[in-house]
Amino acid sequence: MALILERRVERARKWMWLSPLLALALTVVAGAIIFALAGVNPLHGLYTYFISPLMDGWDREKLIAKAAPLVLIGVGLAVAYTANVWNIGAEGQFVAGALLAGLVPVFLPAWQGPSVMAAMLLLGVIGGLAWAMVPALLRARFHANEILTSLMLVYVMRLAYDWAVRGPLRDPQAMNFPKTVRFEGWQVLPAWGEIHLGAAFALVAALVLYVVMVKMLKGFELRALGSSPRAARFAGFSEHRAIYFVFAVSGALAGLAGACDVMGVSRQLQAPYEPNYGFVAIIVAFLGRLNPVGVIFAGLLLALSYMGGETAKVTLGISDNIAKVFQGMLLIFILACDTLILYRIRWQGRA
Amino acid sequence: MKKILLSAAVAAMALGAASASAFAADKYKACWVYVGSIGDFGYTYQHDQGRLAVDKALGDKVETAYVENVPESDSATAIERMARDGCKLIFTTSFGFMDATIEVAKKYPDVKFEHATGFKTAENVATYNAKFHEGRYVLGQIAAKMSKTGTAGYIVSFPIPEVVSGINAFMRGAQTVNPDFKVKIIWVNSWFDPTKEADAAKVLFSQGADILVQHTDSAAGMQVAEEQKKLAFGQASDMIKFGPHAQLTAIVDNWGPYYIERINQAMDGTWKTQSSWEGLKEGVVNMAPFTNMPDDVAKMAAETVEGIKAGTVNPFMGKITKQDGTVVGEDGKMLPDGDILGMNWYVKGVDDKLPQ
Amino acid sequence: MDAVLPILLTIIAAATPLVLAGIGELMVERSGVLNLGVEGMMIMGAVAGFGAAFMTGSPYLGILAAIAAGAAMALLFGFLTLTLATNQTATGLAITLLGLGLSGLIGKPFTGQPITRLPNWHGIDILVIFSFILTGAVAWFLFRSRAGLIVRAVGDNHTSAHTLGYPVIRVRYLAVLFGGGCAGLAGGYLSLSYTPQWIEGMTAGKGWIALALVVFASWRPWRLLAGAYLFGAISILAFTVQTFALGIPSQFLSALPYLVTVVALVIISRNRLMLRANTPACLGRPFVPDR
């Protein structure tokens, strides 16, 4: 007996909806088992994990706030991966954006007004974009594989950030601890409850990129380069230009997300700073099937799994490890069930 | 069909939730926010041992909860969640949680907060810290007595005041025995990376150090010392199991008594904001047994510990010459607390440069 | 000389886990599969290896358990990406998450417990020697044996390989299992030899470095070994330079291994033709035979 896949002629509409439900059902069963093993009432556990974060206004706001950076980075990465460009260093671009945005309150503390907010956000974009240009350049000019370069540059940027926050950017009032001054007034993003402006940016970015990818020639070009590079070259599309373009887009968005994170959430730079949004966003991009609108849902889902994990840790006393196992399984089920959309699964006896 | 099943499941879950939360209602809830994982066998592990001590001592009256691996940049979410979830007293155990703790405390005036290693207090926010440098002074004396090469290797994480004052206290202790004592320092830029700590230990031993001091969390360095038949001091936990022939002593964090005391105060209404900074005397900092050393060295170390407890000996008492030659302090007087809590200069004899 | 030998031995220890995990991943990628779950497989190997050695007292059983645990995670990864044709990148990341959590749960009773280290001469043990044998064997296998040719053919063009009658999925399964076993072994090296103890998250990103080194090596085994030693050497020398107290920021020294790897990659990547000849063309693309 063997499992075999049979490609469907077109995507199965039915499974588009049923697949997530099946994944949910599997997760519920597996989760119940895990919770039972951990000595928690399974129903209570599942409720805490999936329902309670949605039952309360504060939780819902936090959920959106948490999803915002994931979506913002994830849509950029979705575009890059569509073109078959492997930017896996968004985490470094994110930190670069945060660092550059943080220069303003440190060196120009008196600057207030809408212009300072715009300047900080712009610096965030520039920071992420500039850091993304390094692997882009190395790939386009020297054929250096961007999986390696973009990943290594994450570690380099983390250390550079660490040096800056412990050295030149340190708040002299902070008893020599590694943090900058607190951002105040216009240096802080406006927020509705717990949701800061970054969520709006994420929504706009996703919609704009959706239009670009689906309705515009650029999107066709990137998809062509991603799926059949040779044919695309014959059609006159430039691989180099595409590399720069997708690195610029994904880097700029990651940098913007970094700026929003420090301006909206932590309101200061502090070390260590390893939020890992840039890595989680890779999962988000693929869960969203590299579709900018899909990324919005994927981002919300991952944010829910984080929020649920945190709630479960606090109210049920489960460890971080159980939360991680659960999250890993959830992802695996979703990915596995996704297969049903494209393929029919058959059991085949020995031939 | 599926939808019906689903809604039934949701309803059942809600029911489960209601029944489970009913019985725990009248216990006092104390909560901890950790920066690392409770399995690190270092800093966070020791805080969690303190929480478990609370469970043991007050288990019938107090319910405890914790969240681990909380990133410092988004700690407010975790802290606020605890406040919303009925925690009455919340311990936030990393310096990086300071501003978030203050901010959440403003929103929840009825909840009490305790922030470890910080310097900002409020009506409902106290701070607590330990005088680890007292223990490091003792380590310095032992090292200078035991070292044949006159050089110690020092593995450090990040240049924050606690670490810097630890290096200084260590050197001040060593200099009372051997004024020319030397220390070689490696920053691994991480609190927790066992293989890097092992690498650093090996490099330090190859560069002439024969005693290892660490201000990082894992027991990896201790194991290297054991294998190379060198000596070492444990950090945060007693690491004698990893270095039965290498460990001279260890600085052991012991938060349990403090946690129990504060929770008791919170329950009977006598809790007040404060800045607690306790050390060897109060038992927040403990020394593991003095092992692998001659009796006279152990005796000297024990006397120093007694002296520190009695207040006659202190690493930062009297005139102190800085690395750049300037002198601070006065004879017979302690350096002000603020100078130690915010220390970012080396004493004379430390051969390293601090990032400014 | 007194100071040089210990440094060399330190470099060997630092490079060995990268070689072990890297060679495994190299085989996987040669067959056309991108496995981002190396870190998760590695940490499962670390906890299983430690656990087996701790409970039986035999570090050799520990080695076997480490390989088995890595391979078990790889089997799951294979089932998802090969049988169910899921997205390899996302699946690998999910496997890493799962491995980090699962290892923490399994390893809870082992925290703070010592074991006897693998027998060794100044840190040189059976796994260090094996890492060289493994590199040689994989180099021979991939470029000198018929089976290796098939692996490469599958990685370069799965459609033609399939047309020629090669069992694409089965070849990939074997490669993935081999890679998982190697990653597990690398984890076992950490918990049985490098730092013989179990600590949550003790791989601390080593799996990612191994992954990057495969690319650095342009998918060639001896070059991967060289890359791992270059990376290890720069890390250790950066520590050594710190002890001279020259006032160079430690962050800069810590960043050197990453920077040097990038620069070295740029230099060797300039020959584009050679690079293209070595890159598995089907890397990361799922294969489902049309029937």
Side-chain angles (χ1 to χ4, degrees):
Chain A
M1 289 281 278
L3 262 181
I4 57 157
L5 298 185
E6 230 169 68
R7 198 185 295 274
R8 294 179 193 274
V9 183
E10 51 185 300
R11 290 179 167 231
R13 291 236 160 250
K14 184 177 72 170
W15 282 104
M16 287 257 210
W17 298 104
L18 280 182
S19 137
L21 285 181
L22 180 63
L24 187 73
L26 284 170
T27 309
V28 165
V29 172
I33 295 171
I34 293 182
F35 285 125
L37 288 175
V40 174
N41 176 343
L43 291 175
H44 186 203
L46 289 167
Y47 175 84
T48 311
Y49 216 104
F50 289 109
I51 315 285
S52 74
L54 300 171
M55 297 300 275
D56 169 302
W58 181 82
D59 274 302
R60 282 194 296 264
E61 288 171 15
K62 281 279 182 194
L63 181 80
I64 292 169
K66 192 104 188 160
L70 295 176
V71 173
L72 206 45
I73 306 170
V75 284
L77 293 181
V79 171
Y81 300 157
T82 304
N84 218 10
V85 174
W86 294 91
N87 177 10
I88 57 173
E91 178 74 7
Q93 294 139 24
F94 178 90
V95 173
L99 179 60
L100 239 62
L103 294 179
V104 174
V106 172
F107 292 114
L108 301 166
W111 184 10
Q112 283 292 349
S115 59
V116 70
M117 189 183 297
M120 286 171 74
L121 290 169
L122 188 67
L123 276 170
V125 168
I126 292 172
L129 193 141
W131 200 240
M133 277 303 114
V134 181
L137 179 84
L138 296 181
R139 159 91 193 263
R141 284 288 300 275
F142 303 105
H143 326 299
N145 186 305
E146 72 279 12
I147 295 182
L148 181 141
T149 52
S150 62
L151 177 63
M152 291 300 195
L153 288 172
V154 173
Y155 300 107
V156 174
M157 179 45 70
R158 279 181 175 170
L159 287 159
Y161 174 95
D162 192 80
W163 172 81
V165 174
R166 284 173 205 284
L169 305 190
R170 191 170 58 188
D171 171 16
Q173 307 299 312
M175 307 280 282
N176 294 308
F177 277 92
K179 68 185 216 62
T180 63
V181 290
R182 203 118 166 98
F183 304 169
E184 299 295 344
W186 287 94
Q187 299 157 350
V188 178
L189 281 187
W192 300 268
E194 304 291 335
I195 306 171
H196 58 73
L197 195 59
F201 291 146
L203 197 63
V204 171
L207 296 177
V208 168
L209 285 177
Y210 178 79
V211 172
V212 169
M213 292 308 284
V214 175
K215 307 269 182 219
M216 289 167 69
L217 182 65
K218 193 81 199 167
F220 175 73
E221 176 189 335
L222 295 177
R223 266 179 285 129
L225 279 164
S227 53
S228 46
R230 277 189 45 202
R233 273 197 294 274
F234 284 128
F237 296 142
S238 153
E239 203 179 349
H240 281 193
R241 225 177 36 220
I243 291 170
Y244 283 118
F245 177 80
V246 296
F247 260 111
V249 168
S250 54
L253 290 177
L256 179 63
C260 290
D261 193 49
V262 291
M263 291 168 71
V265 180
S266 58
R267 292 176 50 197
Q268 61 190 348
L269 304 185
Q270 54 180 357
Y273 184 49
E274 297 178 7
N276 281 325
Y277 287 130
F279 288 120
V280 178
I282 300 175
I283 305 181
V284 169
F286 282 109
L287 273 190
R289 296 173 197 149
L290 302 187
N291 174 327
V293 174
V295 167
I296 297 178
F297 292 103
L300 286 168
L301 179 74
L302 246 94
L304 176 64
S305 82
Y306 274 105
M307 300 303 283
E310 210 175 84
T311 319
K313 282 186 242 172
V314 176
T315 56
L316 307 176
I318 68 162
S319 70
D320 191 39
N321 289 318
I322 294 182
K324 277 198 194 112
V325 169
F326 197 47
Q327 203 177 18
M329 280 184 15
L330 173 70
L331 291 172
I332 284 172
F333 288 136
I334 293 173
L335 291 166
C337 291
D338 233 30
T339 301
L340 295 168
I341 297 171
L342 289 173
Y343 305 103
R344 207 186 299 276
I345 293 189
R346 286 266 162 83
W347 287 94
Q348 183 187 271
R350 227 170 257 284
Chain B
M1 182 59 201
K2 244 192 178 111
K3 271 193 187 139
I4 300 173
L5 272 179
L6 203 72
S7 52
V10 170
M13 280 190 265
L15 216 67
S19 63
S21 52
F23 65 87
D26 44 2
K27 275 192 181 181
Y28 193 85
K29 192 161 183 181
C31 302
W32 279 258
V33 184
Y34 300 137
V35 67
S37 120
I38 58 168
D40 69 358
F41 201 58
Y43 182 77
T44 296
Y45 175 84
Q46 287 300 334
H47 277 288
D48 201 54
Q49 292 298 308
R51 179 183 69 87
L52 293 172
V54 171
D55 273 342
K56 207 169 166 193
L58 308 170
D60 49 338
K61 285 176 288 183
V62 177
E63 180 194 355
T64 66
Y66 69 92
V67 220
E68 54 184 330
N69 293 325
V70 172
E72 303 192 307
S73 53
D74 190 20
S75 54
T77 308
I79 299 169
E80 185 164 359
R81 181 179 300 287
M82 296 208 125
R84 295 171 59 86
D85 201 60
C87 297
K88 296 282 195 309
L89 178 55
I90 300 172
F91 297 93
T92 58
T93 65
S94 172
F95 173 80
F97 299 162
M98 180 168 68
D99 290 315
T101 306
I102 295 285
E103 204 157 285
V104 177
K106 262 186 222 153
K107 280 200 215 168
Y108 297 86
D110 296 337
V111 179
K112 299 177 177 65
F113 297 82
E114 299 237 1
H115 175 242
T117 73
F119 55 82
K120 288 188 185 170
T121 56
E123 186 101 352
N124 58 339
V125 184
T127 62
Y128 63 110
N129 201 347
K131 293 177 176 169
F132 298 114
H133 58 269
E134 294 182 347
R136 290 191 177 265
Y137 184 79
V138 184
L139 304 192
Q141 286 194 325
I142 299 171
K145 279 270 188 201
M146 296 299 294
S147 172
K148 295 191 183 76
T149 60
T151 307
Y154 210 127
I155 306 177
V156 263
S157 48
F158 294 111
I160 57 169
E162 179 195 321
V163 172
V164 174
S165 68
I167 295 173
N168 285 338
F170 176 83
M171 278 310 271
R172 297 268 297 164
Q175 285 162 353
T176 61
V177 175
N178 174 4
D180 296 323
F181 195 75
K182 291 206 163 30
V183 61
K184 288 189 188 289
I185 296 175
I186 291 183
W187 299 94
V188 292
N189 289 312
S190 166
W191 280 110
F192 178 81
D193 191 335
T195 55
K196 269 193 193 161
E197 291 168 44
D199 291 346
K202 292 177 197 166
V203 169
L204 287 166
F205 287 140
S206 80
Q207 297 298 309
D210 60 353
I211 290 190
L212 190 69
V213 199
Q214 64 178 67
H215 210 137
T216 47
D217 277 344
S218 91
M222 179 63 73
Q223 283 183 313
V224 172
E226 177 76 18
E227 232 177 66
Q228 302 201 359
K229 302 196 167 51
K230 303 276 172 46
L231 298 167
F233 297 103
Q235 153 76 1
S237 307
D238 189 344
M239 297 176 172
I240 190 80
K241 274 190 186 170
F242 293 99
H245 309 99
Q247 179 172 298
L248 294 161
T249 180
I251 297 177
V252 181
D253 312 357
N254 178 30
W255 301 106
Y258 178 78
Y259 287 149
I260 293 170
E261 185 195 338
R262 293 298 276 172
I263 292 168
N264 270 326
Q265 288 173 355
M267 283 193 298
D268 64 25
T270 56
W271 188 96
K272 278 200 180 64
T273 181
Q274 62 174 25
S275 297
S276 163
W277 196 32
E278 299 178 334
L280 284 167
K281 185 176 156 204
E282 300 85 357
V284 171
V285 179
N286 282 342
M287 305 300 286
F290 300 116
T291 45
N292 298 312
M293 64 179 85
D295 289 345
D296 63 313
V297 181
K299 188 158 164 276
M300 174 203 69
E303 277 167 9
T304 306
V305 170
E306 287 315 310
I308 291 173
K309 284 183 181 171
T312 55
V313 180
N314 194 285
F316 298 117
M317 199 187 297
K319 282 204 172 76
I320 301 167
T321 315
K322 289 193 191 177
Q323 195 179 37
D324 60 10
T326 54
V327 177
V328 290
E330 292 170 49
D331 277 328
K333 277 199 177 155
M334 282 283 298
L335 209 60
D337 283 359
D339 287 11
I340 303 171
L341 286 168
M343 198 170 264
N344 77 329
W345 43 266
Y346 282 135
V347 298
K348 198 164 173 243
V350 178
D351 192 14
D352 186 49
K353 289 195 183 73
L354 269 182
Q356 291 301 324
Chain C
M1 197 60 209
D2 270 6
V4 175
L5 183 66
I7 297 281
L8 277 178
L9 292 167
T10 310
I11 293 171
I12 291 173
T16 300
L18 301 177
V19 175
L20 291 171
I23 289 287
E25 175 66 9
L26 188 142
M27 181 77 95
V28 178
E29 293 192 14
R30 274 287 182 183
S31 80
V33 178
L34 181 65
N35 170 19
L36 290 194
V38 181
E39 179 87 1
M41 297 174 187
M42 202 164 166
I43 194 124
M44 285 299 284
V47 74
F50 184 93
F54 179 68
M55 288 188 294
T56 64
S58 160
Y60 297 104
L61 284 177
I63 293 179
L64 294 180
I67 296 173
M73 292 298 276
L75 188 64
L76 178 61
F77 176 78
F79 176 72
L80 292 163
T81 57
L82 302 176
T83 301
L84 295 183
T86 60
N87 177 279
Q88 294 173 5
T89 316
T91 308
L93 287 164
I95 290 279
T96 291
L97 213 60
L98 187 68
L100 287 172
L102 209 53
S103 63
L105 291 180
I106 297 171
K108 194 142 197 180
F110 309 141
T111 302
Q113 299 292 349
I115 46 161
T116 356
R117 183 180 169 171
L118 268 179
N120 63 88
W121 177 81
H122 290 292
I124 308 255
D125 57 31
I126 180 174
L127 292 179
V128 172
I129 296 161
F130 181 69
S131 70
F132 283 88
I133 298 173
L134 184 74
T135 308
V138 167
W140 177 85
F141 174 83
L142 279 175
F143 298 103
R144 295 274 181 276
S145 80
R146 198 179 139 65
L149 186 70
I150 297 174
V151 171
R152 285 189 291 140
V154 164
D156 279 333
N157 191 335
H158 47 220
T159 321
S160 351
H162 178 69
T163 319
L164 288 171
Y166 295 126
V168 173
I169 299 291
R170 199 179 311 158
V171 168
R172 288 189 171 167
Y173 253 109
L174 290 174
V176 164
L177 283 177
F178 176 81
C182 288
L185 185 62
Y189 177 76
L190 297 181
S191 66
L192 297 167
S193 173
Y194 200 152
T195 54
Q197 52 179 311
W198 163 252
I199 320 169
E200 268 185 39
M202 67 188 293
T203 45
K206 287 222 158 20
W208 293 102
I209 305 297
L211 214 104
L213 286 175
V214 177
V215 178
F216 174 84
S218 49
W219 295 272
R220 294 199 301 184
W222 288 110
R223 203 177 255 193
L224 181 128
L225 186 111
Y229 273 80
L230 174 73
F231 192 88
I234 305 279
S235 320
I236 302 303
L237 291 178
F239 277 166
T240 314
V241 168
Q242 277 202 42
T243 64
F244 303 155
L246 302 175
I248 304 168
S250 64
Q251 292 95 340
F252 175 74
L253 291 169
S254 291
L256 267 184
Y258 309 107
L259 286 171
V260 170
T261 314
V262 168
V263 171
L265 178 77
V266 169
I267 292 169
I268 56 178
S269 298
R270 292 173 72 183
N271 183 346
R272 189 170 188 186
L273 285 177
M274 191 209 72
L275 199 72
R276 193 176 291 161
N278 275 294
T279 310
C282 284
L283 186 59
R285 302 190 175 216
F287 174 70
V288 177
D290 283 316
R291 278 159 209 275

